[in-house]
Amino acid sequence: MKLTMKLIETNRKLPFLAALTLLIAAALPFAHAQLGSMDTPASAPKAYVLYAAEQQIVPAGKQATLELRFHTLPGYHVNSHTPKSELLIATALTLQPASGVKPGTPLYPAGQPYSFSFDPSDKLDVYAGDFTIKLPIVATAGEHIVDGSLKYQACDNASCYPPRTLPVKVAFPAK
């Protein structure tokens, strides 16, 4: 008798539980749309730095310098190649070996001083807006492509973001 009463009581609650489950399932997409993904802010760009490949011609067999131009999106800055703290990730250009091209050590521009409003005495060394990395090279005559990457850490006026890697392709003729 007790078992029969328990089953009847449980059966009465089932429609309510089923309706509650359906209501929650139906509301989830709307809640997600309102709150957005908690993993990545909806306004975060895919890249904070852009590479502007420009046609450059170098003399064959002679020391030359390629200029690699980068642009940091408005509202962001990236740590320079010599950040003021070991906790910050330096901007670094890395190149893959290329046949007929002997690259030298990249020459980075001087960084700009930057401080957050909450600690104006702590000056960081950053790149903002446009910056150019000069690449000394010696190349044999012909068309060349050098692949590489720019690793950087971007920040805005409130926080810094995980490091990113920007693919860089430098195509140039040596004549």
Side-chain angles (χ1 to χ4, degrees):
M1 181 69 139
K2 285 185 180 182
L3 181 59
T4 305
M5 292 302 285
K6 260 308 194 201
L7 286 174
I8 291 172
E9 190 176 312
T10 303
N11 284 338
R12 285 185 189 155
K13 291 180 182 176
L14 282 178
F16 172 75
L17 292 175
L20 183 61
T21 302
L22 287 173
L23 181 63
I24 291 171
L28 281 176
F30 297 105
H32 180 64
Q34 291 296 316
L35 298 174
S37 171
M38 300 302 242
D39 296 335
T40 306
S43 61
K46 293 182 180 180
Y48 301 96
V49 176
L50 306 174
Y51 170 58
E54 296 176 355
Q55 178 66 38
Q56 299 177 65
I57 301 170
V58 300
K62 296 182 181 178
Q63 180 73 36
T65 302
L66 292 171
E67 293 188 352
L68 284 63
R69 300 183 194 285
F70 298 93
H71 175 74
T72 306
L73 295 182
Y76 297 97
H77 58 271
V78 297
N79 297 317
S80 74
H81 71 290
T82 55
K84 299 287 185 187
S85 169
E86 58 189 45
L87 300 175
L88 300 175
I89 296 170
T91 294
L93 178 68
T94 304
L95 301 171
Q96 302 300 319
S99 179
V101 178
K102 292 181 185 173
T105 302
L107 304 169
Y108 296 90
Q112 304 168 3
Y114 179 86
S115 61
F116 289 102
S117 59
F118 57 82
D119 189 5
S121 65
D122 187 19
K123 300 282 186 200
L124 302 177
D125 196 41
V126 304
Y127 301 138
D130 297 327
F131 64 97
T132 301
I133 299 174
K134 294 183 178 182
L135 181 63
I137 60 152
V138 176
T140 59
E143 297 289 328
H144 299 283
I145 296 176
V146 179
D147 289 313
S149 61
L150 183 77
K151 183 175 181 182
Y152 64 90
Q153 181 180 30
C155 305
D156 60 20
N157 63 358
S159 60
C160 290
Y161 301 97
R164 300 268 174 110
T165 302
L166 174 68
V168 174
K169 185 179 289 283
V170 185
F172 63 94
K175 297 181 178 183

